[in-house]
Amino acid sequence: LCFKSDFLYPQSPSSETNDLMAEVNLRSISAAIISYAEVNNGRFPTDFLSDIINVNPPYLSQDYANMEKNGYKYSVGFYPDGYKIIATPIACSQTGTKVFVLEARGEEVNKIIQGKRVPSDLEIKKSNCE
């Protein structure tokens, strides 16, 4: 915590902390999508909000696809055989230093749904933001 004047201000999280949180959030989003596919006989969602968030019970409690969180903006896209999640820093080098992409399609994600692999096996690709 930082002290300024007579007030107590929370210290801003570092871009490195935000980078780590972005990876955690990508894993959470991915797990929610895979859970949906497992329950729906391997069929993937078509709309993040209506299929993942606005169901009872929800697969995920936050609508990452339409929000900024921990210095990152998230986008989620669906394919008939998988999905793609992208986390981009709101302000490059200030709120985050990397762009993260988790894309899972076809046989790779089918192995997870069938229990032959685990979701953490999915690769998150990282590149420097510009």
Side-chain angles (χ1 to χ4, degrees):
L1 293 176
C2 298
F3 293 90
K4 186 174 182 180
S5 211
D6 293 323
F7 299 98
L8 187 64
Y9 292 94
Q11 191 172 12
S12 298
S14 69
S15 59
E16 291 82 16
T17 300
N18 288 347
D19 289 349
L20 292 173
M21 289 307 301
E23 288 192 67
V24 168
N25 293 335
L26 256 65
R27 295 269 180 227
S28 296
I29 297 165
S30 178
I33 294 168
I34 288 170
S35 293
Y36 175 94
E38 289 172 337
V39 169
N40 290 280
N41 300 315
R43 186 175 53 89
F44 288 91
T46 56
D47 182 78
F48 191 81
L49 192 59
S50 65
D51 293 337
I52 301 294
I53 304 297
N54 293 337
V55 292
N56 191 11
Y59 291 93
L60 197 60
S61 62
Q62 296 183 27
D63 182 11
Y64 288 92
N66 295 303
M67 71 182 292
E68 296 175 353
K69 183 163 178 71
N70 301 105
Y72 274 80
K73 175 83 175 147
Y74 296 84
S75 64
V76 181
F78 299 108
Y79 309 109
D81 66 340
Y83 57 94
K84 183 176 189 176
I85 311 162
I86 302 171
T88 307
I90 296 165
C92 184
S93 298
Q94 295 175 20
T95 64
T97 63
K98 306 235 180 282
V99 174
F100 298 95
V101 178
L102 192 160
E103 184 170 24
R105 297 185 77 173
E107 189 59 33
E108 178 182 36
V109 76
N110 282 337
K111 287 180 181 178
I112 292 169
I113 293 169
Q114 295 166 2
K116 296 176 185 173
R117 293 185 71 194
V118 294
S120 60
D121 289 337
L122 294 172
E123 178 187 3
I124 296 177
K125 295 180 181 161
K126 307 170 192 175
S127 61
N128 291 328
C129 64
E130 298 174 7

